Amino acid sequence: MNTAELTELAQQLRVDSVRASAAAGSGHPTSSMSAADLMAVLLARHLRYDFERPAHPGNDRFVLSKGHATPLLYSAYKAVGAIEDGELLTFRRIGSRLEGHPTPRRVPWVETATGSLGQGLPIGVGIALAGKRLDRAGYRVWVLCGDSELAEGSVWEAAEHAAYEHLDNLTAIVDVNRLGQRGPTRHGHHLDAYARRFQAFGWHTVEVDGHDVDAVDRAYGEARSTTGQPTVILARTLKGKGVHDVQDREGLHGKPLPDADAAIAELGGPRDLRVRVHEPPATRALHSVPTKNLELPRWERGEKVATRDAYGQALAALGTARSDVVALDGEVSDSTRAEFFAKEHPDRFFECYIAEQQMVAAAVGLATRGRVPYASTFAAFLTRAYDFVRMASVSGIGVNLVGSHAGVAIGQDGPSQMGLEDLAMMRAVHGSTVLYPCDANQTARLVTAMAGLEGVRYLRTSRGPGPVIYGPDEEFPVGGSKVLRAGDRDRLTVVAAGVTVHEALVAADVLEREGIRIRVVDLYSVKPVDHFTLRQAAEETGLLLTVEDHHEEGGLGDAVLEAFLDGRPVPRLVRLAVRRMPGSASPDEQLHAAGIDAASIAAAGKLLVEEAVVR
């Protein structure tokens, strides 16, 4: 396309953005109109993509970080022939795959769900890492950002990581249209303010008039020819470009244009231009999956092993068996034990430093390229990245997250290091799996099982060593549990997971010496939960006592209650959990102070049984 044709294509994208938003009665046409020239030049001159084969290994990858600009994205899909005009006008309607913000669940050309701002660039970094370090392919990653989202800290985590990794296959395009949702952005049209920040992180910067298609074309070419560092194109644009009554005016964000027909006429009316996007180069499949038989580490009953140690060793073994497994860590690999994987598979280990948002985002990006990522840090620090976890679920992208140093059992480090909200946090994620093993062999099996699951998977590990109670060949199906003590005369069921399993077993011995037999259930699968075993225990013993190294809200006790939400009678249930703010103390002192050690379990269990007799 020549200059005049590119300009016409940009006008078509504007018109179709206005039309789609008008048909929906909602949307973000003005945010789309500002970036129309940027999109037109990318489609016609620089993007290499086969829309009939979105999984083509040579395709460039495009991420719309300013996810509210879907009218522009879907108008681009129409221009390349991926969708028809009739479908474009179903935008935002029930049943349409053209949702208000893009998701790969519905649209095959979308890499990742966006709309929660500040996520596109960090995920783009993960995709670029796959291309640079693993695939060694020539595809380029293009990320279209808005200027408002540059206020997000996650953008600057991404900026530093991209420069550190010399991701010259990554181009960020910033649509600097000056206006945010409620008014002007922090830096307005001062491109140099943004340029200085990116330059400080080590990026190549290009400042350009975002409505000059020839200048934009040259900027993209400069980005493609730059080596050794990522490039950011800072494009000065006008929100609502092309329509006098809305151009560069406040108060119109997220609204269809007041007079769509007049706006369309001012833009020159509808067009039906079609763009032939450059084909990607022929390339081989990027990676294979299995390489060797899996040989998990094995531990004998009675050994003392921390589940975090078992995680690291099992992950290293899994990495040997499967070449698609990658690991990421937040500069705590000596604590999470991801260092075992790093030593054996350094080419597939990604150190993300103390940047948990970027760590999870990179995991999502790597997953879009067919990898099976395991990302680990302290359980407490995953709270920083929770929005990325939530959006991974929206995307339908599978990632494995591992939180170590969970609960008060970590000891003297105190509450800032204790994951006490993580089970609730991860259980709340749509379609998630939450696992909490209590011994080494169980951990190893669950680490392996995670690789074959869908959605967000979370594994909780413990800092201190605990006794191995299961044999190395024991199976642990996700959604199951293990009944460790049971008999016909059981008067109470104690449900525990992780460190409290061992405390419950000691409490069972104490109570048995007093003539009280109790059942002990290891609920290692916190989500999905084993409804059958819990209901059976309730029917046979009548009393349930849950004990967890976690806050009461949203954790193990609430997971157990889910087994009785189908109208069945709820049994007498008492929950032991961490209800006070811990301080610094030894692990044993912490468990006792929280009321979740063996003595506390035995006391609570005895009281429950005695109360039941009185009743």
Side-chain angles (χ1 to χ4, degrees), residues 28 75 77 99 144 154 196 233 273 369 401 403 416 424 435 494 497 516 534:
H28 297 75
S75 297
Y77 290 161
E99 298 175 338
L144 178 57
S154 57
R196 289 195 305 271
I233 296 168
L273 299 174
R369 305 304 300 134
L401 305 174
S416 70
L435 306 170
V494 176
I516 302 172
L534 293 172

Side-chain angles (χ1 to χ4, degrees), residues 436-509:
Y436 186 15
C438 71
D439 90 338
N441 286 319
Q442 190 178 64
T443 302
R445 293 284 181 173
L446 293 177
V447 167
T448 303
M450 292 169 76
L453 301 176
E454 296 182 353
V456 173
R457 292 89 82 170
Y458 177 62
L459 182 83
R460 192 185 212 224
T461 66
S462 301
R463 179 183 192 177
V468 175
I469 61 175
Y470 295 111
D473 297 317
E474 188 91 21
E475 297 290 337
F476 302 95
V478 173
S481 65
K482 291 291 181 180
V483 179
L484 296 174
R485 297 282 179 89
D488 295 338
R489 294 182 290 120
D490 294 339
R491 301 170 66 184
L492 167 73
T493 298
V494 176
V495 184
V499 296
T500 59
V501 169
H502 307 292
E503 299 296 323
L505 290 172
V506 173
D509 290 337

Side-chain angles (χ1 to χ4, degrees), residues 65-66 116-126 143-164 170 172-174 186-187 194 197-198 201-203 230 232 234 355-359 361 384 387-388:
S65 190
K66 48 178 288 180
S116 179
L117 294 176
Q119 296 220 3
L121 189 59
I123 292 171
V125 168
V143 182
L144 178 57
C145 302
D147 49 350
S148 286
E149 66 181 307
L150 298 193
E152 288 281 5
S154 57
V155 169
W156 302 107
E157 288 187 16
E160 183 160 28
H161 200 77
Y164 175 78
L170 173 66
I173 308 159
V174 184
R186 178 176 289 158
H187 300 295
Y194 297 114
R197 285 158 175 76
F198 275 101
F201 281 107
W203 285 58
V232 59
L234 298 162
E356 290 85 4
Q357 293 179 100
Q358 181 55 58
M359 179 187 73
R384 291 176 175 171
D387 192 31
F388 285 84

Side-chain angles (χ1 to χ4, degrees), residues 74 82-83 87 90 93 95-99 103 106-109:
Y74 301 149
I83 66 172
E87 183 174 9
T90 68
R93 293 184 186 172
S96 173
R97 61 177 175 166
L98 306 185
E99 298 175 338
T103 64
R106 308 297 301 276
V107 182
W109 313 289

